[in-house]
Amino acid sequence: MQITLHRKKHSQIIPELYEIEERFKECPFCKSKEIRFVRSIVTTPEINVITCQKCHIGYIDRQPTETFLREFYKKYYSKDDGHTTIDPHALVNHLIRQFGKLRTKNTFSILDFGGGDGSISQLLANYLLTSNLAQQVNISNVDYNARDGEGGHSSYKIVKNNLLSFEAIPPGKKFDLVIASAILEHVKNPRETLSILLNYLEENGVFYARTPWVYPIFNALTKVGIYIDLPYPAHLFDMGNAFWNSILKTLNLSSGFYLEKSCTSLVESSFRERPLRTLIAHLLKIPSYIFKNHYHFAGGWEVIIKRRAGLKK
Ligand SMILES: [Zn+2]
């Protein structure tokens, strides 16, 4: 018997054959050939879920073309399909706790990659200003759909630039804080993107990333006959603790950066809006605090990486 569950959020859509790239023969992140089949998502055309034994990324072996993805995300933001995203206030409160002590700066700069309307960086900017950690905050919001939120600019001390790509950032520009919250799984080239983002950090600058890590859960459920659609093509990659714990080694960046925190991510949904989903997410995450790297069903992971000071750039 096979039970198939369809998830409302990020439902599975299979592009036409001409909109799908050739199959990856090796890990697209580290080029290793030590890869392991997890399961298929469709058989015609054959599209599979794979994990890399070396860098520990999970990926879909046939990915949509860039053209398809651009169209997909245009519709994704224009239609109101009721998909939920994290409450920005909850995430920002969580980030403030995770960052710990931030250094006081006259002008603090934030790069918000995939920030959409930039509400996360804007709320963080408000916090920095009201806590007197900064006198001015400059935000570069880089997103296919970069736009202002409903509230727009809440203070003249916040300068926000909506940018469509990294190319719009002046050469040599560095940032105190770089945020990649639930975005790296959507991009076709996470290795290049991650390297670019880390390179934008100032000395002592803080990088935050949050990614889904659901392949181990889906794999275990498949083994007991429960088949859940994967959010394809929205999610192209899956990045959990083993991937993040070895990321600086994989990118050969250990001399310039260090991993300050690597832990299970906060629960996206709220008890008020989605009580059952939220309860399950909390229950799944509890063992992660105890068993840490030996537990693989946390559903999501997050890291804080910092740039070392005093090194030549
Ligand atoms: Zn790899």
Side-chain angles (χ1 to χ4, degrees), residues 281-299:
H282 276 285
L283 290 175
L284 277 170
K285 281 177 187 293
I286 289 170
S288 182
Y289 302 113
I290 304 159
F291 301 109
K292 298 201 173 0
N293 293 339
H294 301 288
Y295 177 74
H296 297 141
F297 304 121

PDB file of all heavy atoms in Angstrom, residues 281-299:
ATOM      1  N   ALA A 281       6.157  19.799  13.931  1.00  0.00           N
ATOM      2  CA  ALA A 281       7.490  20.377  13.704  1.00  0.00           C
ATOM      3  C   ALA A 281       8.262  20.497  15.015  1.00  0.00           C
ATOM      4  O   ALA A 281       9.443  20.141  15.091  1.00  0.00           O
ATOM      5  CB  ALA A 281       7.356  21.745  13.032  1.00  0.00           C
ATOM      6  N   HIS A 282       7.582  20.957  16.075  1.00  0.00           N
ATOM      7  CA  HIS A 282       8.254  21.089  17.377  1.00  0.00           C
ATOM      8  C   HIS A 282       8.688  19.719  17.894  1.00  0.00           C
ATOM      9  O   HIS A 282       9.803  19.548  18.390  1.00  0.00           O
ATOM     10  CB  HIS A 282       7.329  21.765  18.398  1.00  0.00           C
ATOM     11  CG  HIS A 282       7.357  23.264  18.301  1.00  0.00           C
ATOM     12  ND1 HIS A 282       8.409  24.022  18.768  1.00  0.00           N
ATOM     13  CD2 HIS A 282       6.468  24.137  17.768  1.00  0.00           C
ATOM     14  CE1 HIS A 282       8.154  25.300  18.531  1.00  0.00           C
ATOM     15  NE2 HIS A 282       6.986  25.398  17.921  1.00  0.00           N
ATOM     16  N   LEU A 283       7.780  18.728  17.777  1.00  0.00           N
ATOM     17  CA  LEU A 283       8.097  17.387  18.282  1.00  0.00           C
ATOM     18  C   LEU A 283       9.280  16.790  17.526  1.00  0.00           C
ATOM     19  O   LEU A 283      10.150  16.151  18.118  1.00  0.00           O
ATOM     20  CB  LEU A 283       6.868  16.472  18.170  1.00  0.00           C
ATOM     21  CG  LEU A 283       5.718  16.803  19.131  1.00  0.00           C
ATOM     22  CD1 LEU A 283       4.518  15.911  18.846  1.00  0.00           C
ATOM     23  CD2 LEU A 283       6.146  16.647  20.592  1.00  0.00           C
ATOM     24  N   LEU A 284       9.305  17.018  16.204  1.00  0.00           N
ATOM     25  CA  LEU A 284      10.405  16.465  15.400  1.00  0.00           C
ATOM     26  C   LEU A 284      11.741  17.107  15.753  1.00  0.00           C
ATOM     27  O   LEU A 284      12.792  16.487  15.628  1.00  0.00           O
ATOM     28  CB  LEU A 284      10.129  16.672  13.908  1.00  0.00           C
ATOM     29  CG  LEU A 284       9.227  15.638  13.231  1.00  0.00           C
ATOM     30  CD1 LEU A 284       8.856  16.101  11.827  1.00  0.00           C
ATOM     31  CD2 LEU A 284       9.899  14.263  13.160  1.00  0.00           C
ATOM     32  N   LYS A 285      11.686  18.360  16.202  1.00  0.00           N
ATOM     33  CA  LYS A 285      12.932  19.065  16.470  1.00  0.00           C
ATOM     34  C   LYS A 285      13.507  18.761  17.860  1.00  0.00           C
ATOM     35  O   LYS A 285      14.711  18.903  18.074  1.00  0.00           O
ATOM     36  CB  LYS A 285      12.736  20.578  16.330  1.00  0.00           C
ATOM     37  CG  LYS A 285      12.730  21.026  14.878  1.00  0.00           C
ATOM     38  CD  LYS A 285      12.472  22.501  14.745  1.00  0.00           C
ATOM     39  CE  LYS A 285      12.294  22.912  13.304  1.00  0.00           C
ATOM     40  NZ  LYS A 285      13.501  22.774  12.488  1.00  0.00           N
ATOM     41  N   ILE A 286      12.663  18.353  18.788  1.00  0.00           N
ATOM     42  CA  ILE A 286      13.138  18.163  20.173  1.00  0.00           C
ATOM     43  C   ILE A 286      14.377  17.244  20.269  1.00  0.00           C
ATOM     44  O   ILE A 286      15.376  17.633  20.876  1.00  0.00           O
ATOM     45  CB  ILE A 286      11.986  17.673  21.092  1.00  0.00           C
ATOM     46  CG1 ILE A 286      11.003  18.839  21.313  1.00  0.00           C
ATOM     47  CG2 ILE A 286      12.514  17.173  22.441  1.00  0.00           C
ATOM     48  CD1 ILE A 286       9.706  18.427  22.002  1.00  0.00           C
ATOM     49  N   PRO A 287      14.358  16.063  19.630  1.00  0.00           N
ATOM     50  CA  PRO A 287      15.543  15.190  19.778  1.00  0.00           C
ATOM     51  C   PRO A 287      16.828  15.826  19.235  1.00  0.00           C
ATOM     52  O   PRO A 287      17.929  15.468  19.650  1.00  0.00           O
ATOM     53  CB  PRO A 287      15.172  13.950  18.955  1.00  0.00           C
ATOM     54  CG  PRO A 287      13.694  13.991  18.831  1.00  0.00           C
ATOM     55  CD  PRO A 287      13.312  15.429  18.820  1.00  0.00           C
ATOM     56  N   SER A 288      16.655  16.791  18.329  1.00  0.00           N
ATOM     57  CA  SER A 288      17.823  17.435  17.734  1.00  0.00           C
ATOM     58  C   SER A 288      18.661  18.179  18.778  1.00  0.00           C
ATOM     59  O   SER A 288      19.882  18.282  18.665  1.00  0.00           O
ATOM     60  CB  SER A 288      17.353  18.403  16.655  1.00  0.00           C
ATOM     61  OG  SER A 288      18.439  19.013  16.036  1.00  0.00           O
ATOM     62  N   TYR A 289      17.973  18.728  19.817  1.00  0.00           N
ATOM     63  CA  TYR A 289      18.698  19.462  20.872  1.00  0.00           C
ATOM     64  C   TYR A 289      19.507  18.502  21.730  1.00  0.00           C
ATOM     65  O   TYR A 289      20.510  18.883  22.328  1.00  0.00           O
ATOM     66  CB  TYR A 289      17.705  20.244  21.742  1.00  0.00           C
ATOM     67  CG  TYR A 289      16.862  21.213  20.950  1.00  0.00           C
ATOM     68  CD1 TYR A 289      15.491  21.027  20.801  1.00  0.00           C
ATOM     69  CD2 TYR A 289      17.451  22.319  20.323  1.00  0.00           C
ATOM     70  CE1 TYR A 289      14.723  21.907  20.052  1.00  0.00           C
ATOM     71  CE2 TYR A 289      16.693  23.196  19.573  1.00  0.00           C
ATOM     72  CZ  TYR A 289      15.327  22.982  19.441  1.00  0.00           C
ATOM     73  OH  TYR A 289      14.576  23.855  18.694  1.00  0.00           O
ATOM     74  N   ILE A 290      19.057  17.252  21.809  1.00  0.00           N
ATOM     75  CA  ILE A 290      19.741  16.271  22.665  1.00  0.00           C
ATOM     76  C   ILE A 290      20.795  15.504  21.864  1.00  0.00           C
ATOM     77  O   ILE A 290      21.950  15.420  22.251  1.00  0.00           O
ATOM     78  CB  ILE A 290      18.709  15.277  23.263  1.00  0.00           C
ATOM     79  CG1 ILE A 290      17.628  16.066  24.026  1.00  0.00           C
ATOM     80  CG2 ILE A 290      19.393  14.252  24.176  1.00  0.00           C
ATOM     81  CD1 ILE A 290      16.326  15.306  24.212  1.00  0.00           C
ATOM     82  N   PHE A 291      20.385  14.983  20.727  1.00  0.00           N
ATOM     83  CA  PHE A 291      21.288  14.110  19.961  1.00  0.00           C
ATOM     84  C   PHE A 291      22.129  14.870  18.935  1.00  0.00           C
ATOM     85  O   PHE A 291      22.991  14.311  18.286  1.00  0.00           O
ATOM     86  CB  PHE A 291      20.488  12.989  19.282  1.00  0.00           C
ATOM     87  CG  PHE A 291      19.727  12.140  20.254  1.00  0.00           C
ATOM     88  CD1 PHE A 291      18.344  12.209  20.339  1.00  0.00           C
ATOM     89  CD2 PHE A 291      20.396  11.277  21.119  1.00  0.00           C
ATOM     90  CE1 PHE A 291      17.636  11.438  21.251  1.00  0.00           C
ATOM     91  CE2 PHE A 291      19.700  10.499  22.035  1.00  0.00           C
ATOM     92  CZ  PHE A 291      18.316  10.572  22.109  1.00  0.00           C
ATOM     93  N   LYS A 292      21.829  16.140  18.781  1.00  0.00           N
ATOM     94  CA  LYS A 292      22.561  17.044  17.878  1.00  0.00           C
ATOM     95  C   LYS A 292      22.863  16.406  16.524  1.00  0.00           C
ATOM     96  O   LYS A 292      21.937  16.098  15.784  1.00  0.00           O
ATOM     97  CB  LYS A 292      23.822  17.555  18.581  1.00  0.00           C
ATOM     98  CG  LYS A 292      23.477  18.357  19.841  1.00  0.00           C
ATOM     99  CD  LYS A 292      24.573  19.262  20.270  1.00  0.00           C
ATOM    100  CE  LYS A 292      24.284  20.188  21.385  1.00  0.00           C
ATOM    101  NZ  LYS A 292      23.126  20.318  22.080  1.00  0.00           N
ATOM    102  N   ASN A 293      24.119  16.186  16.200  1.00  0.00           N
ATOM    103  CA  ASN A 293      24.466  15.734  14.848  1.00  0.00           C
ATOM    104  C   ASN A 293      24.094  14.285  14.553  1.00  0.00           C
ATOM    105  O   ASN A 293      24.231  13.830  13.418  1.00  0.00           O
ATOM    106  CB  ASN A 293      25.963  15.933  14.600  1.00  0.00           C
ATOM    107  CG  ASN A 293      26.307  17.404  14.560  1.00  0.00           C
ATOM    108  OD1 ASN A 293      25.434  18.234  14.322  1.00  0.00           O
ATOM    109  ND2 ASN A 293      27.552  17.735  14.804  1.00  0.00           N
ATOM    110  N   HIS A 294      23.633  13.562  15.570  1.00  0.00           N
ATOM    111  CA  HIS A 294      23.271  12.158  15.341  1.00  0.00           C
ATOM    112  C   HIS A 294      21.796  11.998  14.989  1.00  0.00           C
ATOM    113  O   HIS A 294      21.327  10.894  14.767  1.00  0.00           O
ATOM    114  CB  HIS A 294      23.604  11.321  16.580  1.00  0.00           C
ATOM    115  CG  HIS A 294      25.052  11.395  16.935  1.00  0.00           C
ATOM    116  ND1 HIS A 294      26.022  10.781  16.185  1.00  0.00           N
ATOM    117  CD2 HIS A 294      25.699  12.056  17.930  1.00  0.00           C
ATOM    118  CE1 HIS A 294      27.206  11.048  16.705  1.00  0.00           C
ATOM    119  NE2 HIS A 294      27.035  11.828  17.760  1.00  0.00           N
ATOM    120  N   TYR A 295      21.072  13.109  14.945  1.00  0.00           N
ATOM    121  CA  TYR A 295      19.636  13.053  14.679  1.00  0.00           C
ATOM    122  C   TYR A 295      19.355  13.724  13.329  1.00  0.00           C
ATOM    123  O   TYR A 295      19.865  14.811  13.072  1.00  0.00           O
ATOM    124  CB  TYR A 295      18.901  13.788  15.806  1.00  0.00           C
ATOM    125  CG  TYR A 295      17.409  13.867  15.620  1.00  0.00           C
ATOM    126  CD1 TYR A 295      16.612  12.748  15.821  1.00  0.00           C
ATOM    127  CD2 TYR A 295      16.800  15.056  15.237  1.00  0.00           C
ATOM    128  CE1 TYR A 295      15.233  12.819  15.639  1.00  0.00           C
ATOM    129  CE2 TYR A 295      15.429  15.135  15.065  1.00  0.00           C
ATOM    130  CZ  TYR A 295      14.645  14.018  15.268  1.00  0.00           C
ATOM    131  OH  TYR A 295      13.289  14.085  15.094  1.00  0.00           O
ATOM    132  N   HIS A 296      18.570  13.067  12.486  1.00  0.00           N
ATOM    133  CA  HIS A 296      18.440  13.536  11.102  1.00  0.00           C
ATOM    134  C   HIS A 296      17.036  13.940  10.689  1.00  0.00           C
ATOM    135  O   HIS A 296      16.754  14.082   9.501  1.00  0.00           O
ATOM    136  CB  HIS A 296      18.964  12.445  10.151  1.00  0.00           C
ATOM    137  CG  HIS A 296      20.410  12.170  10.343  1.00  0.00           C
ATOM    138  ND1 HIS A 296      20.951  10.912  10.290  1.00  0.00           N
ATOM    139  CD2 HIS A 296      21.443  12.996  10.645  1.00  0.00           C
ATOM    140  CE1 HIS A 296      22.249  10.976  10.527  1.00  0.00           C
ATOM    141  NE2 HIS A 296      22.565  12.231  10.752  1.00  0.00           N
ATOM    142  N   PHE A 297      16.152  14.115  11.658  1.00  0.00           N
ATOM    143  CA  PHE A 297      14.767  14.431  11.284  1.00  0.00           C
ATOM    144  C   PHE A 297      14.331  15.821  11.772  1.00  0.00           C
ATOM    145  O   PHE A 297      13.180  16.023  12.148  1.00  0.00           O
ATOM    146  CB  PHE A 297      13.820  13.345  11.814  1.00  0.00           C
ATOM    147  CG  PHE A 297      14.189  11.964  11.346  1.00  0.00           C
ATOM    148  CD1 PHE A 297      14.478  10.953  12.247  1.00  0.00           C
ATOM    149  CD2 PHE A 297      14.252  11.683   9.987  1.00  0.00           C
ATOM    150  CE1 PHE A 297      14.833   9.683  11.801  1.00  0.00           C
ATOM    151  CE2 PHE A 297      14.611  10.420   9.526  1.00  0.00           C
ATOM    152  CZ  PHE A 297      14.896   9.422  10.444  1.00  0.00           C
ATOM    153  N   ALA A 298      15.264  16.765  11.771  1.00  0.00           N
ATOM    154  CA  ALA A 298      14.955  18.100  12.293  1.00  0.00           C
ATOM    155  C   ALA A 298      14.120  18.935  11.320  1.00  0.00           C
ATOM    156  O   ALA A 298      13.468  19.888  11.714  1.00  0.00           O
ATOM    157  CB  ALA A 298      16.238  18.841  12.638  1.00  0.00           C
ATOM    158  N   GLY A 299      14.162  18.605  10.019  1.00  0.00           N
ATOM    159  CA  GLY A 299      13.323  19.308   9.039  1.00  0.00           C
ATOM    160  C   GLY A 299      13.927  20.602   8.499  1.00  0.00           C
ATOM    161  O   GLY A 299      13.529  21.084   7.447  1.00  0.00           O
TER     162      GLY A 299
END
